[in-house]
Every structure is written in structure tokens, then in C-alpha cells.
């Protein structure tokens, strides 16, 4: 059943397996350092559709169907889908899942959605609620820019702190304990707001939430960072990662030595003109489902604390003078 | 643990209780036929704030804090919050929950969110994952109109099929079996798209999803509509309700005799110039948390199948020629 610990942690008794996983990405992501890890790389940002939103739907469909294929699963084997994305009304997920005849739980956690969906799927499987449950999310650079900042045609200058929303999707299918990777524990995070109002500095807005969720998870499960090969954050980028180190420094914890950030792994920051790093639901999703899960399955990495981070940034609320709340959810994924 | 049935149903073994509940509404809702049921009625649509979005935050905060008060609960008694709303980036929930130090799972299910959040909370409690879990949602007429259709200042004419987004919030706190109302079973629905493209006809877009989820729930739990006092839909309104009757007629089921629609209960349709009925997450939420849960707690109503319905309508996708997918989640709530 899993043991619930006040503070949002569920410690699994029968650690569910991630039975299958896939990552589908755009052209730019397919030219980055993790190119060899991805199951599908698009030829351009449209993926043969006539809009960026529809291209993002395609990314989710590819990630989902390749994950099924890799796990020798049929659509009818999937009991439920937990999915969400960055677009208003979560249309990337809604319009992708529309074509599957599968019960759907729609989520909004901004860029934390890969952890949110995977955590919920794991809790359901741990409790025998379904045979296989899919966790699915995505983002698309062009669709996100015009929704959250400026239409690309405007040709706006990107600031040094700005991050590049990944054109990417990831899908993980969770089932009962069988083979690694295993889900050992999850922590649902709290909303943390450090008063950041700069829409081009998402890393700063998320670092406080990452700190809170990682600390809570370690404390709730009586673990330290030394129990992990890596503490993986979703998309703090250069700025947010530095702030995370500062926050842990105050607790006399050197998290830097164990830290990996998906936003700093997906691209060649300088060569690909990325500025402070990658971001978007698809960033953490594709790095998890393309790289980390594979490494853990093969036993090359033994334990990670995957902590996807979301900035709950609303252009409307920013115009009303509000700050940007952050959230992070953490998952202990293990080869053991 | 609950038994999972393919098709998205979780049959509870230890039927959790809705320990406490509250509804906070705006002025217009407080002038309707259910006025006496609400815990808080605002004096106007601003609730003393300087924006409609902030007013919606206030509604969620009122619903949550009154629910705590009615259940003699402190914030620290709440293990988790499942919440979402209609606003982009679910800001009504995010900015409301920001002020609580409670783990948060953000949801997007459009107007189905009261059922989605209550179903997830119930599944967690059934499995011992937390002592008390809150399900929370809201909507606001003015905030929704400008986001989904036109700014109010534009003075657009409302069509006869259009529905009035409720300015309202509801909160239900679920805990382990104690007193009625009990959650006997839940069904997570599938996305259904009947090709509706009229942004002023949400009822039609949702009726197919309501039909599918209600049918699935009855079939999965071996029940018929005669096992319920009422089959309650969220906000199908006049148009969607008629379509629901037509869909069930084909199965030779007369659902009309058992049917109640929150969208047809919240307002005096003619006297308050509502057109086809109420809608919005807050419509089903306030009618459930204001009226039905109270009636069930007192034993006046024994069994309802509460089926909140959502139209996953995206202005962006409509402009791209897409149709409006619908979703519905169902919950069997009982006094026994």
C-alpha cells in the first residue's frame, strides 16, 4: 500500500517498475549531447503539422506509442493515463489522449509534470489500482514562447537568464514490481514563492521549491544525498542551480557534487545558443525517459532523486504585479 | 485498498468519508435558489480585491478555510490538497494554495475538476495515504469570460446555448470512514470528442463524455440508475442535458427521471438571465459542497452519482479549426 509520511511522501513497499519509457524530441534537441538517447527526433519544429500546438500533440503521441511498443504493450493494456503540459487548458495532452480510449487524469504542474504524473502513476500501481499506468508530458518551444512571452515573429531578445523551452515529450509506463528501474518513494511538493517577478528567470522562481521538496524527501525517508548517485532537478538551469547550492550551503550540505540538472544536460548551452539552460515539461521528461531510466535499467546508475521543478508562471498574474510561485515533486528511482 | 476495474473505476472497500465541506459563492449565485446552502456569499464579484483572478483566489481560500473550520481541522491536519481551476496555469488554485504549507497536486480537468480532485483524494484516503485530504476548485464568471471568449467590457451578446460560468468555489475534505457522506466508488473518465466547435455550446461538447462515464460506472459497478436517488451532472445545462437523454434513450434507459444538473440548479435561469444554465468548476463544486453533501449527511438523499463534466475548450485550438473534447469523472456518494 505504501506508507504515507506527513509532508507529502509515499514510501513504497513493493516498489513499482517503470516497465517502459520513451522520449520524442524536436530537431534542436536531437542535435544536442543526448541525441543518441532519444527514440524519435523530428526533422523540424512542425512535425508535419500546420501548427506548433499540433506538433506538440504529435510529440506526446510518439512518446506514448513508442513506449507501448518498447514494452510490448497494446493500448488496451494501459489502465489510465496521467498527463499534462504547459499549454493553456493542457491541450497538448488533451488532444493527444483524445485519440486513445483510456481513462485520463489531467494535471497541471508546469515543468514539474513529469514527476507529478509519474508519482501519481506509481502510487496507483503500488496500491494495485491498474496493471499499467502511463505518465506523459511535453512542451514545445514555439508554442510556449508565444503563450508565455512573445510570438517568435516579434524577434524579441532573450535575456542571459532566460531558458529554452524544450520541444520534447516523455512517457513512462509504470507497472507492478518486475525489473528495474524501480520507484522507491515519491514526495509531492508544496508551492513555494520567493517573490521572483522576472518572467525570464524561471530558474530562480523554482529553486526554492526544489530545495524544499528535496530536503523534505531526504528527511522523510531518512536518507542523505550520499544515498544517491545524483540529485536530478528538472530545469533550474545555470541561475536556479546556483541558488539551489546556496540554499543547501546554509544547511552545510554540498549538493553540487551530486547535482545534475536536465536543463543543463539537454543542450550544448554555448554551441546551441541556449543561454541559462533548457526548460519546459518536455526537458525533464525527455532527459528522464531518454537517458536516466535507461542508465538505471542497465545498472550504470543506481539511485537518483528525480525532482522535476515547475514555475507556475501566469502572464495575467504577472501583469497584475504578482510573483511566480514554484513547485517541485521528487521521485527516488533505483536499480535495486 | 479499493478494487480497480478496467475502464477507470475504483470500488472502495472502506468507503472514505467526506468529513467536511464548504461552498463560497459570488453575489449572483447568492441570489439564486440555493442561496441558503452556501457558507459564504460575496457582496460583489471582486470580493474586495483589485482583480477577478484575485477574487477567485479568495473564493478558494474561503471555501478551504470554512471547510477546515466546519470539520474542526487545522491546516496542519491536511496531508495534501488536490486542486485545479479554469484559469490558465490554474492560477486560482496555485495562488490560493501558495499561502498554505501543504503538499499540492495541481489538476486540469476544466469543469470536471471537483470530481477529479475528490476522486483522487478518495483513492489516497482509501489506501491510507494521509489522514485528511482536501479537494478544491473554483471558477469566476468575469475571469473566465475574458479568458475563453470576450472581455466583459466588449459587451458581447450571449447566445441562447451559452452558459453562465459560476463565480463559486467548493472544498471537500476526505478522511477515513467515520460518518456519511461516504465515497463508495469513483470512475475516471475518458476524453470524448463529438466534433462540437461552438464555443458557446459547452453542454453539447460535454454530454458525450457524461454519457460514457455514467454508462461505464454503472456497468463496472453492476448498478443501474435505479440504485441512485439522483444521477447528478456538473453543468450540461439545457442543451447538454437533452443530448444526454437522447444518448441514454438509445440504450432504452430513461435517465431523465433521475437526472439533476448542477448547472440547472444553481440559478433561476429566466429570472437571472442565465440562458442555458450555469457552468464552470465552481458550479458543480458549490452545488455539491453546498447542497448535495449536506442532504446526504442528513440522510435526506441516500445515493447520488456525482458526474462533473468538463469541456477541454482551448481558444487557440478553436482558432486552428479544432473541436472541443469533453471529459467527465463520476463518484458514487452515499449516506450508507
Amino acid at each position: 500500500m505504501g506508507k504515507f509520511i506527513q509532508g507529502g511522501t509515499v514510501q513504497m513497499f513493493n516498489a513499482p517498475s517503470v516497465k517502459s519509457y520513451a522520449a520524442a524530441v524536436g530537431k534542436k534537441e536531437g542535435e544536442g549531447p543526448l541525441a543518441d538517447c532519444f527514440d524519435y527526433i523530428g526533422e523540424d519544429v512542425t512535425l508535419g503539422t500546420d501548427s506548433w500546438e499540433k506538433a506538440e500533440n504529435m510529440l506526446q503521441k510518439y512518446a506514448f506509442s513508442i513506449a507501448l511498443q518498447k514494452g510490448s504493450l497494446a493500448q488496451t493494456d494501459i489502465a489510465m493515463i496521467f498527463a499534462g503540459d504547459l499549454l493553456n487548458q493542457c491541450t497538448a495532452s488533451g488532444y493527444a489522449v483524445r485519440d486513445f480510449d483510456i481513462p485520463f487524469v489531467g494535471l497541471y504542474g508546469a515543468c514539474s509534470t513529469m514527476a507529478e504524473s509519474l508519482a501519481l502513476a506509481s502510487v496507483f500501481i503500488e496500491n494495485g489500482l491498474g496493471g499499467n499506468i502511463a505518465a506523459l508530458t511535453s512542451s514545445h518551444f514555439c508554442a510556449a514562447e508565444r503563450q508565455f512571452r512573445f510570438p517568435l515573429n516579434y524577434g524579441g531578445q532573450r535575456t542571459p537568464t532566460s531558458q529554452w523551452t524544450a520541444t520534447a515529450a516523455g512517457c513512462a509506463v509504470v507497472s507492478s514490481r518486475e525489473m528495474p528501474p524501480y520507484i522507491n518513494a515519491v514526495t509531492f511538493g508544496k508551492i513555494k514563492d520567493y517573490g521572483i517577478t522576472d518572467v525570464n528567470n524561471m530558474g530562480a522562481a523554482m529553486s526554492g521549491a526544489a530545495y524544499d521538496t528535496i530536503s523534505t524527501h531526504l528527511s522523510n525517508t531518512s536518507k542523505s544525498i550520499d544515498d544517491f548517485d545524483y540529485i536530478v532537478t528538472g530545469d533550474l538551469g545555470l541561475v536556479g542551480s546556483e541558488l539551489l547550492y546556496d540554499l543547501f550551503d546554509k544547511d552545510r550540505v554540498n549538493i553540487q557534487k551530486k547535482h545534475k540538472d536536465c536543463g543543463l544536460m539537454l543542450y550544448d548551452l554555448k554551441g546551441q545558443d541556449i543561454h541559462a539552460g533548457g526548460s519546459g515539461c518536455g526537458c525533464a521528461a525527455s532527459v528522464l525517459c531518454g537517458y536516466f531510466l535507461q542508465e538505471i535499467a542497465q545498472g550504470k546508475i543506481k539511485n537518483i532523486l528525480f525532482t522535476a521543478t515547475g514555475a507556475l508562471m501566469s502572464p495575467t498574474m504577472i501583469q497584475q504585479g504578482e510573483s511566480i510561485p514554484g513547485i517541485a515533486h521528487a521521485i527516488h528511482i533505483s536499480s535495486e
Side-chain angles (χ1 to χ4, degrees), chain A:
Chain A
M1 291 174 62
K3 178 186 166 197
F4 185 84
I5 303 162
Q6 197 68 16
T9 301
V10 180
Q11 176 73 55
M12 308 296 174
F13 293 148
N14 302 305
S17 283
V18 184
K19 187 189 184 84
S20 184
Y21 38 87
V25 303
K27 184 165 181 278
K28 191 178 188 93
E29 293 69 21
E31 291 165 353
L34 296 181
D36 293 342
C37 303
F38 299 128
D39 300 280
Y40 172 90
I41 297 174
E43 286 177 18
D44 60 20
V45 287
T46 71
L47 279 81
T49 68
D50 60 6
S51 83
W52 296 321
E53 288 75 15
K54 290 177 190 171
E56 192 176 336
N57 293 338
M58 293 307 293
L59 282 174
Q60 285 213 10
K61 287 187 189 183
Y62 285 134
F64 179 71
S65 49
I66 297 169
L68 291 197
Q69 207 181 322
K70 285 167 76 179
S72 303
L73 293 162
Q75 262 190 40
T76 49
D77 294 323
I78 305 298
M80 288 178 71
I81 297 181
F82 288 96
D85 57 88
L86 284 176
L87 295 181
N88 294 341
Q89 296 85 45
C90 295
T91 47
S93 310
Y95 283 84
V97 174
R98 178 177 64 172
D99 296 339
F100 317 141
D101 192 38
I102 300 173
F104 167 68
V105 176
L107 306 178
Y108 186 78
C111 309
S112 74
T113 308
M114 190 68 232
E116 185 185 0
S117 58
L118 185 54
L120 285 171
S122 303
V123 167
F124 269 62
I125 292 293
E126 167 79 1
N127 287 284
L129 304 172
N132 303 287
I133 297 184
L136 178 63
T137 187
S138 65
S139 54
H140 191 295
F141 175 72
C142 314
E145 282 302 304
R146 82 162 157 202
Q147 178 180 290
F148 286 106
R149 294 173 194 92
F150 300 108
L152 293 186
N153 325 40
Y154 182 81
Q157 287 276 334
R158 299 177 61 242
T159 68
T161 58
S162 70
Q163 296 179 236
W164 189 280
T165 305
T167 300
C171 178
V173 179
V174 186
S175 58
S176 54
R177 189 174 178 87
E178 192 178 329
M179 302 251 290
Y182 302 117
I183 307 294
N184 283 5
V186 305
T187 294
F188 295 98
K190 298 166 186 171
I191 294 178
K192 291 288 161 187
D193 193 326
Y194 280 54
I196 305 294
T197 53
D198 179 356
V199 298
N200 291 306
N201 196 347
M202 296 291 102
M206 297 185 286
S207 56
Y211 165 75
D212 186 74
T213 301
I214 294 167
S215 305
T216 301
H217 184 91
L218 295 175
S219 154
N220 274 352
T221 57
S222 304
K223 294 208 177 289
S224 80
I225 60 166
D226 297 326
D227 293 311
F228 296 90
D229 299 350
Y230 302 113
I231 306 291
V232 180
T233 50
D235 49 359
L236 295 182
L238 291 173
V239 179
S241 294
E242 285 299 331
L243 291 171
L244 183 73
Y245 305 156
D246 287 351
L247 288 166
F248 272 102
D249 270 349
K250 292 186 184 160
D251 297 339
R252 299 182 182 208
V253 173
N254 175 5
I255 197 168
Q256 188 168 0
K257 65 179 180 183
K258 294 281 187 175
H259 181 242
K260 292 266 185 191
D261 184 68
C262 300
L264 298 174
M265 296 174 67
L266 183 57
Y267 303 102
D268 170 4
L269 293 201
K270 287 205 172 148
Q272 293 186 289
D273 191 25
I274 296 297
H275 296 210
S279 69
C281 306
C283 176
S286 62
V287 175
L288 178 74
C289 298
Y291 173 74
F292 280 112
L293 290 177
Q294 183 67 17
E295 295 287 300
I296 296 168
Q298 294 174 353
K300 292 182 196 163
I301 296 176
K302 297 217 180 329
N303 290 284
I304 65 167
L305 185 63
F306 173 71
T307 313
T309 40
L312 303 170
M313 197 273 274
S314 155
T316 303
M317 298 307 278
I318 291 292
Q319 284 168 13
Q320 295 179 16
E322 270 292 354
S323 53
I324 305 168
I327 191 157
H329 304 289
I331 307 184
H332 176 182
I333 310 176
S334 172
S335 66
E336 293 162 342

